[in-house]
Amino acid sequence: MALAYFLSVILAMEVMVSGYRFGEAGGLSMNYYIMTCPFAESVIKDIVNRALQDDPTVAAGLVRMHFHDCFIEGCDASILLDSTKDNTAEKDSPANLSLRGYEIIDDAKEELERQCPGVVSCADIVAMASRDAVFFAGGPVYDIPQGRKDGRRSKIQDTINLPSPSLNASELIRLFGQHGFNAQEMVALSGAHTLGVARCSSFKSRLTNVDPNMDSNFAKTLSKTCSAGDTAEQPFDPTRNSFDNLYYNALQRKSGVLISDQTLFATQRTRGIVNGYGLNQAMFFLDFQQAMVKMSLLDVKEGSNGEVRNNCRKIN
Ligand code: HEM
Ligand SMILES: *[C@@H]1O[C@H](CO)[C@@H](O)[C@H](O)[C@H]1NC(C)=O
Ligand SMILES: *[C@@H]1O[C@H](CO)[C@@H](O)[C@H](O)[C@H]1NC(C)=O
């Protein structure tokens, strides 16, 4: 355990260093706000921690929010924009189901505007809040470069690029590949499903046939959940608020909730990765944090390609 921890510290440092190098080239850096808003990180962390002490289930919402933000239009807080009379935003897509935690981002933004007006972008707040939520829930601690600018576009039709829960492993590998992730990184990122729940509407299609990739007792559990209606929640693993490797153990027991979860174990190409993470949580944590840093850099906007919003829900 001590050795695993030691290794994870070393690797976290490497991620920091490589992130920093990438950052310098790309205009992002680890100490981006050091002169302009030195307490930005701790302000965000305190607000996230306080909110999660009140309601630990929102950690999942913050992690998912960052994923949806980055996979559509890059990590530019496009997910936070409210619809207007001329534009229906990403937020109002059916794929937003159960996206939660918007108020936490608003609270952090408000406090940062008081301390250093017009400085800290909403995109950076989402990235840091997601990172803090992972740590709060017992996951790895890692550093992410800052300096993302906020985007001005948020369109409901762009959300078709989000992965559907009915995708199989080859489709997931292809879709994540379009964002520069390999199969192992895709499996590691899917481990975010160690947090939170899915609603019946996201998996009920699995219950109409006998599925050889689903444990028969687990099938009964899912049916029971769905007997309470389409919005009834099913935790992805037995510990919905703890960031751990039990999600992978659930897949090994054929008790994954979504088709897109169970396919990772059912498919030869990704099964070994699931087994590895199921056996070795430290390895999962390392791969997850590296993949999250990489995700946090997707199509980042800089300079005049973006702005620092005054209010995360509206373009300036
Ligand atoms: C591999 C492709 C993925 C698919 C198909 C997928 C799909 C889904 C679906 C359908 C739900 C449940 C929504 C609902 O029924 O309310 C969900 C929840 C969630 N997803 Fe994913 N997801 C994927 C990858 C990711 C990634 C990469 C992350 C983050 C790094 C993530 C984080 C989450 C979290 C934390 C929840 C729980 C939300 C909550 O409890 O509020 N997912 N996902
Ligand atoms: C999600 O989208 C639905 C419409 O599909 C909308 O009614 C709802 O307010 C949205 N939820 C959030 C949290 O934005
Ligand atoms: C995955 O889905 C695609 C598209 O539906 C299909 O062509 C392919 O055969 C599927 N792969 C597997 C392994 O089931």
Side-chain angles (χ1 to χ4, degrees):
M1 220 32 227
L3 178 66
Y5 181 72
F6 177 65
L7 286 176
S8 97
V9 170
I10 303 262
L11 248 119
M13 284 163 63
E14 264 168 40
V15 169
M16 278 164 63
V17 170
S18 58
Y20 187 71
R21 272 197 227 108
F22 178 101
E24 273 185 332
L28 271 67
S29 68
M30 288 301 178
N31 297 313
Y32 190 83
Y33 295 115
I34 194 119
M35 303 304 285
T36 51
C37 198
F39 301 115
E41 288 214 69
S42 56
V43 165
I44 295 166
K45 192 191 215 94
D46 287 350
I47 288 176
V48 169
N49 284 353
R50 231 178 300 136
L52 296 183
Q53 271 152 21
D54 278 356
D55 182 1
T57 69
V58 192
L62 290 173
V63 174
R64 186 166 186 234
M65 181 189 290
H66 183 42
F67 165 53
H68 282 206
D69 185 29
C70 295
F71 264 55
I72 312 164
E73 276 287 308
C75 314
D76 68 347
S78 52
I79 192 72
L80 302 181
L81 290 172
D82 284 340
S83 294
T84 62
K85 69 178 190 326
D86 316 310
N87 182 52
T88 307
E90 291 167 22
K91 214 182 224 183
D92 285 320
S93 143
N96 76 6
L97 261 176
S98 86
L99 267 193
R100 293 170 311 138
Y102 293 112
E103 312 73 32
I104 303 174
I105 306 296
D106 289 338
D107 288 351
K109 179 63 175 174
E110 232 172 82
E111 181 55 30
L112 290 168
E113 287 301 295
R114 259 195 292 279
Q115 293 194 13
C116 14
V119 172
V120 183
S121 69
C122 299
D124 277 347
I125 297 174
V126 172
M128 287 188 259
S130 161
R131 182 267 314 268
D132 296 340
V134 167
F135 184 59
F136 181 92
V141 60
Y142 52 94
D143 245 310
I144 43 172
Q146 298 131 25
R148 296 164 192 75
K149 288 283 182 347
D150 298 327
R152 299 187 182 89
R153 173 194 169 98
S154 178
K155 298 207 173 287
I156 187 171
Q157 56 269 29
D158 295 343
T159 57
I160 57 162
N161 298 321
L162 287 170
S164 139
S166 59
L167 296 188
N168 64 35
S170 17
E171 295 169 305
L172 289 170
I173 290 170
R174 182 160 39 81
L175 193 147
F176 278 70
Q178 287 166 359
H179 294 282
F181 295 104
N182 62 30
Q184 178 144 350
E185 290 168 324
M186 182 274 290
V187 176
L189 286 173
S190 297
H193 287 177
T194 180
L195 294 177
V197 296
R199 293 161 191 221
C200 172
S201 53
S202 301
F203 56 80
K204 69 177 175 188
S205 68
R206 301 183 71 193
L207 300 174
T208 44
N209 307 311
V210 174
D211 179 345
N213 290 314
M214 192 177 352
D215 175 79
S216 55
N217 279 318
F218 190 67
K220 286 180 199 145
T221 302
L222 292 186
S223 297
K224 188 155 167 264
T225 299
C226 284
S227 67
D230 264 9
T231 58
E233 296 177 344
Q234 175 66 44
F236 284 110
D237 76 11
T239 57
R240 62 178 284 184
N241 296 330
S242 299
F243 197 98
D244 50 33
N245 65 342
L246 297 187
Y247 163 78
Y248 297 105
N249 295 148
L251 303 186
Q252 291 173 311
R253 289 193 309 273
K254 297 190 176 184
S255 301
V257 176
L258 306 175
I259 293 174
S260 57
D261 294 320
Q262 196 57 55
T263 189
L264 302 178
F265 184 72
T267 305
Q268 180 64 33
R269 180 150 173 221
T270 45
R271 184 181 306 147
I273 309 169
V274 170
N275 286 335
Y277 293 155
L279 199 63
N280 186 341
Q281 178 167 276
M283 185 168 96
F284 164 50
F285 279 16
L286 289 177
D287 287 357
F288 181 80
Q289 71 192 47
Q290 291 183 70
M292 283 296 274
V293 171
K294 184 166 170 180
M295 189 176 89
S296 85
L297 299 174
L298 283 179
D299 301 321
V300 162
K301 298 191 171 57
E302 293 161 39
S304 59
N305 287 327
E307 60 185 19
V308 173
R309 273 179 222 150
N310 301 317
N311 173 337
C312 291
R313 294 173 183 268
K314 290 191 280 220
I315 58 176
N316 290 345

